[in-house]
Amino acid sequence: MNQEISKWLNDHQIEYRIDAKLNEFTWFRSGGTAKAIIFPSSIRTLCLVIKYLNQRNENFRVIGETSNLLFLDEVDYNFLVSTLKISRVSVDRANKEIHSECGVKLPDLSRLALLESLDGFAGLEGIPGTVGGAVFMNAGAYGDSIHRILKSVEVVTAAGELLEMGAEDLGFSYRNSVFRDGRCPHIIVRAIFHLRPGDQRAIGRKMELVHAKRHKYNDYNYPNLGSVFAGSIYRALAKRDKYYWLVSSLFYLLNYKFKIFRREAPLNRKWLNDFTVKRFGLHFEKQPFSDKTMNTIINNGQTTKVYVDYLHQVRELIRDDVPVENEIVEGF
């Protein structure tokens, strides 16, 4: 890394790591190296870093938990700016608001909301991302979504200036916002949420149910990126193939466990996954997805090229029927 940049970071007492191996840092444990990962410890230092790197015309990317990003093994990246140390959160009951910095983790936010008996956060309990990333992609699950509880955000411009934007200006749609689709180049540094009192026991019960449901779909044996597509691959394929629709319907009919007022999905879809691979001619040397669902890629020791090839094959089959949640991070 340029000695001038190192000196600037040292002078401002900002932590950084040179030539960082991303397979030791990223959520999926993939990626080549980064010229440097910079760790601002406050919104003020984040603004300084962004302004400085822009003044130097350096290519960089701001990242959080990276739980939605697939970094490529064969790519060496430029500067990464991590928000993980910018993680203060507080409850302002006088103004009925929750103030959360961008690096706060969603499980921590949802548990704070539980302790404070605040509604609207329970479904976010198992999403392994940060508040900044959640606003960026309008994250949500099990009936709770960022756009329903967000009041406003504070953002930093390329010049290092702070601006406030109301939730109504963020262009929220399903898993999208003005930040994700590129209409707004600013970086989220703080989110202000509506404070909505609820029943603590009811909130707790929902969180327990959400946690149990996530265990049915998430693979906990390998590093993974959760659901790659924001919807069911199986349903999308069933729409295009009547025979597949019949076989997959029978699979679910025989494997769902029906109980009073609810049903439980199967813990394992290996048989259906094997049938899907054979029916649609998917090809790979070693299975790159979880037995629980083909919508979850797992890092079981293969190169990222295998995962990218698999995702391209699935995209060719389902086309645009199901939106993509995760992002493949190309070089910059």
Side-chain angles (χ1 to χ4, degrees):
M1 186 173 69
N2 185 292
Q3 289 185 353
E4 186 179 337
I5 299 176
S6 294
K7 183 179 184 305
W8 185 89
L9 291 169
N10 289 328
D11 288 345
H12 288 81
Q13 298 182 331
I14 298 172
E15 182 183 345
Y16 62 95
R17 188 186 305 173
I18 299 174
D19 297 328
K21 296 180 180 179
L22 294 183
N23 61 5
E24 298 176 356
F25 176 81
T26 57
W27 187 267
F28 194 65
R29 295 295 183 262
S30 71
T33 61
K35 183 178 291 186
I37 304 178
I38 303 172
F39 298 92
S41 59
S42 67
I43 289 176
R44 182 187 68 81
T45 52
L46 175 60
C47 292
L48 287 175
V49 169
I50 289 171
K51 180 180 179 180
Y52 179 71
L53 292 176
N54 277 316
Q55 286 176 337
R56 293 183 55 89
N57 294 315
E58 297 285 353
N59 293 322
F60 68 94
R61 174 157 186 165
V62 177
I63 57 172
E65 196 75 278
T66 73
S67 57
N68 214 43
L69 303 175
L70 177 60
F71 286 87
L72 303 177
D73 293 333
E74 66 274 14
V75 175
D76 290 330
Y77 297 89
N78 213 47
F79 292 100
L80 297 174
V81 181
S82 172
T83 65
L84 291 182
K85 293 183 180 293
I86 308 172
S87 56
R88 290 182 294 183
V89 60
S90 61
V91 177
D92 182 353
R93 289 197 172 274
N95 294 305
K96 297 183 178 181
E97 296 173 345
I98 299 177
H99 294 241
S100 172
E101 292 182 336
C102 53
V104 171
K105 297 176 183 179
L106 288 182
D108 293 338
L109 178 65
S110 64
R111 287 168 196 142
L112 171 65
L114 172 64
L115 291 174
E116 297 287 340
S117 301
L118 303 177
D119 208 2
F121 297 84
L124 309 178
E125 183 272 341
I127 300 177
T130 59
V131 165
V135 174
F136 180 87
M137 67 170 296
N138 189 21
Y142 300 102
D144 291 328
S145 185
I146 287 294
H147 77 275
R148 292 178 178 168
I149 53 178
L150 188 70
K151 182 177 182 179
S152 62
V153 294
E154 197 171 3
V155 299
V156 58
T157 68
E161 299 175 344
L162 291 173
L163 300 174
E164 188 168 351
M165 300 176 66
E168 66 278 5
D169 299 320
L170 304 186
F172 283 131
S173 58
Y174 188 72
R175 300 294 179 268
N176 200 15
S177 72
V178 294
F179 303 106
R180 189 175 192 188
D181 64 22
R183 284 178 287 161
C184 181
H186 306 326
I187 295 164
I188 302 154
V189 297
R190 181 183 282 113
I192 295 90
F193 297 100
H194 293 287
L195 190 158
R196 294 172 179 162
D199 180 80
Q200 189 178 60
R201 288 188 177 182
I203 296 168
R205 285 195 297 270
K206 180 174 180 178
M207 287 179 68
E208 288 179 349
L209 180 61
V210 167
H211 191 80
K213 284 181 174 292
R214 283 192 173 277
H215 270 272
K216 286 182 172 292
Y217 292 96
N218 288 359
D219 195 304
Y220 290 89
N221 295 325
Y222 301 96
N224 67 84
L225 298 177
S227 298
V228 178
F229 298 95
S232 172
I233 293 175
Y234 306 103
R235 289 196 193 99
L237 294 174
K239 289 180 181 179
R240 301 183 179 279
D241 187 312
K242 291 184 178 179
Y243 180 69
Y244 181 79
W245 173 85
L246 176 62
V247 173
S248 59
S249 297
L250 288 172
F251 171 83
Y252 282 109
L253 182 64
L254 294 172
N255 285 277
Y256 263 123
K257 295 180 180 179
F258 289 90
K259 297 185 177 182
I260 298 175
F261 305 124
R262 72 178 191 271
R263 61 182 183 175
E264 292 186 3
L267 284 170
N268 187 294
R269 294 173 177 79
K270 180 169 175 51
W271 185 91
L272 180 60
N273 294 343
D274 291 344
F275 174 74
T276 304
V277 169
K278 185 175 181 180
R279 179 67 179 172
F280 294 99
L282 296 172
H283 50 86
F284 42 79
E285 289 187 11
K286 184 179 179 182
Q287 180 176 305
F289 52 83
S290 170
D291 284 340
K292 289 188 175 183
T293 172
M294 295 179 66
N295 199 5
T296 297
I297 57 172
I298 57 173
N299 188 341
N300 53 2
Q302 305 186 69
T303 65
T304 49
K305 183 180 183 302
V306 174
Y307 307 116
V308 172
D309 288 346
Y310 166 70
L311 295 178
H312 283 329
Q313 290 180 65
V314 175
R315 284 296 303 276
E316 286 290 320
L317 290 172
I318 65 175
R319 300 171 198 172
D320 295 321
D321 287 355
V322 184
V324 176
E325 286 202 47
N326 292 352
E327 177 186 347
I328 299 172
V329 184
E330 307 289 348
F332 55 86

